Amino acid sequence: MTDVSAPATITFAPSELVVLFGDRFTPEAGMLGSKEEVLTSGIKVNSEKLMSAAVGAAVWAAHRAGAIRLELRQGKALFGLIKTQKLHVVPGTGASPFPAHSLESIVVDAARTSPELQKLLEAFIGGEVMDVPAHVLGRIKAGMAERGLLGREERKTMMVFTTVGFTLPDATKAAAGRESLDAVQSLLRDAEQREPALAKAVRDDIDGARVMMTESRD
């Protein structure tokens, strides 16, 4: 187990607040489906929906800050017979206010090459995995751990497999509790209301990346 001392100045990206307070953004987990235990409450929530909310918060926060622009571009498939639309992430004119190692900062950096959002998310995942939501949420937590906000804890399962868990220091929990979750909830709600076409494209690309990067059991 690795303990951390929280830095004097603690800042959180919106995606990180979604992960830390997952039960405020997604429903509790049911009997079926993958689950994620929320660090601040211990409540288990639906990990797929939590991943979608966290990634969506990162994309929309960067878009609203002006650090990126979301741009739907026309394309063609099947030798030009079918018209398609792809959502691209392009550089904006605003500065990036997001902390290092956050998903938001990764999205802003990747925008330099104007990638399709789904391709950007696939690159963030890094390779096919059995449980994409758990992997993505783990990477967001790892970004916080890099800044000293979370501790890391290695766990062995069946005495063979090693997994990494994360612990929440009291100082980080207290600092996170002073953040406005209403602002993040409004960010996600306003995206659906103000830009429904873009919001649908973002949801589709998050889901598309999840499907594409889920390891096949064949």
Side-chain angles (χ1 to χ4, degrees):
M1 178 175 176
T2 301
D3 290 325
V4 297
S5 297
T9 302
I10 299 179
T11 58
F12 301 94
S15 62
E16 295 168 347
L17 291 174
V18 172
V19 172
L20 290 175
F21 296 95
D23 49 315
R24 298 281 295 274
F25 293 88
T26 54
E28 287 191 42
M31 294 295 292
L32 302 177
S34 57
K35 302 173 178 63
E36 176 77 10
E37 184 173 318
V38 178
L39 287 175
T40 54
S41 67
I43 294 173
K44 292 183 178 180
V45 299
N46 183 294
S47 62
E48 187 176 314
K49 291 183 179 180
L50 182 59
M51 179 198 77
S52 183
V55 175
V59 172
W60 285 109
H63 179 62
R64 287 279 178 259
I68 66 165
R69 287 188 297 108
L70 298 174
E71 188 175 284
L72 281 169
R73 296 180 181 176
Q74 298 294 329
K76 294 182 180 180
L78 288 179
F79 307 102
L81 297 177
I82 298 177
K83 292 183 178 180
T84 62
Q85 270 195 334
K86 299 291 184 181
L87 182 60
H88 287 254
V89 179
V90 301
T93 57
S96 175
F98 308 108
H101 306 294
S102 65
L103 178 53
E104 284 83 345
S105 68
I106 292 170
V107 169
V108 172
D109 287 343
R112 296 169 185 168
T113 60
S114 299
E116 296 174 11
L117 177 59
Q118 181 172 324
K119 298 296 184 185
L120 186 162
L121 297 177
E122 290 173 4
F124 176 72
I125 295 167
E128 291 188 0
V129 294
M130 290 301 299
D131 190 343
V132 171
H135 181 75
V136 169
L137 296 169
R139 286 214 58 191
I140 293 173
K141 292 176 191 175
M144 286 188 274
E146 287 291 335
R147 306 201 308 277
L149 301 183
L150 297 180
R152 296 176 189 264
E153 185 178 49
E154 288 193 354
R155 304 163 182 166
K156 283 194 177 292
T157 57
M158 300 176 63
M159 304 300 291
V160 176
F161 303 105
T162 300
T163 60
V164 177
F166 296 91
T167 57
L168 179 66
D170 290 341
T172 302
K173 184 175 182 178
R178 293 190 291 269
E179 296 287 325
S180 172
L181 299 185
D182 289 342
V184 185
Q185 291 167 334
S186 293
L187 174 74
L188 296 170
R189 184 172 58 250
D190 290 349
E192 297 287 342
Q193 296 174 350
R194 296 180 183 179
E195 302 180 85
L198 282 181
K200 181 180 184 305
V202 170
R203 289 197 308 273
D204 289 347
D205 281 0
I206 293 171
D207 193 52
R210 177 187 59 78
V211 172
M212 287 297 295
M213 303 308 287
T214 298
E215 185 176 307
S216 171
R217 301 193 182 193
D218 294 341

